[in-house]
Amino acid sequence: MKLKSIVLLVIAGLITAFMLTGCGDKAWDASKLQLAEPLDPPADVTLTLDSFENGKSISVNLTNNSDEPFYFTEYFALQVKINDDWYVVPSDLAFIDIAYELQPGVTAPKEFDISSYGKLPSGNYRLAAWKIAVEFEVK
C-alpha cells in the first residue's frame, strides 16, 4: 500500500511538472498552418521593433515618413517563417474596428498584447500589421 501511494505521488508530481512547463519547445507543422498573404508595404511608412517579451507583448514604432497621413487599425497577426515561406500563427483574437491617423513625419509607439498566443517556440517570426511587418527571432 505504501509503494502504491509513493508511485501515485510521483505520477502526480510528474503531471504537475509537465503542466507547469508545457510540452517543451514545440515546432510548427506547416501542413497545419495557413500561408500568409504577401505584404504590400506603403511607401515611406516603417515599422521597427522596440521590444519583445515572449508570451506577453511586442512593442513597435510606426513611422510615417510620407507627405500624407497614414491610417491604421488595431488588427495584427503573428507569422512564423518555415523554410522560405511565412505562415499565420493561429489565434482566436478579435479586434475593435477603429482607425487611427498618423500625421506625416510622426512616429507613434504601439504595443501588441500577444499573451493569448502563449510562449512561442523558437523560430523566426514577424508581426504583420497594416501591410507592413517587423521581424524578430525567438531563441
Side-chain angles (χ1 to χ4, degrees):
M1 185 70 168
K2 187 174 182 180
L3 181 60
K4 187 176 183 180
S5 296
I6 292 172
V7 169
L8 288 175
L9 283 174
V10 169
I11 290 172
L14 290 173
I15 290 171
T16 302
F18 180 76
M19 289 172 58
L20 291 175
T21 59
C23 300
D25 208 19
K26 65 181 177 182
W28 295 106
D29 181 355
S31 68
K32 296 180 181 177
L33 299 175
Q34 177 184 351
L35 197 58
E37 296 282 328
L39 297 174
D40 184 19
D44 299 324
V45 177
T46 60
L47 196 59
T48 55
L49 183 67
D50 183 40
S51 67
F52 166 72
E53 199 170 347
N54 198 358
K56 294 188 179 180
S57 66
I58 298 174
S59 297
V60 299
N61 290 307
L62 177 63
T63 302
N64 183 2
N65 291 314
S66 74
D67 295 330
E68 299 178 10
F70 177 73
Y71 298 93
F72 62 100
T73 64
E74 291 289 323
Y75 176 80
F76 75 94
L78 284 185
Q79 300 173 354
V80 60
K81 191 173 192 177
I82 301 173
N83 299 321
D84 289 327
D85 294 316
W86 289 100
Y87 293 86
V88 177
V89 175
S91 79
D92 292 325
L93 293 175
F95 300 94
I96 59 171
D97 196 14
I98 187 169
Y100 302 100
E101 179 179 83
L102 185 62
Q103 291 296 318
V106 174
T107 296
K110 181 77 176 135
E111 184 170 334
F112 297 93
D113 180 351
I114 60 166
S115 59
S116 64
Y117 288 95
K119 287 257 187 191
L120 298 172
S122 58
N124 292 312
Y125 293 85
R126 69 182 179 186
L127 179 133
W130 326 300
K131 300 182 180 182
I132 313 169
V134 61
E135 295 183 23
F136 58 97
E137 183 179 2
V138 175
K139 295 181 180 189

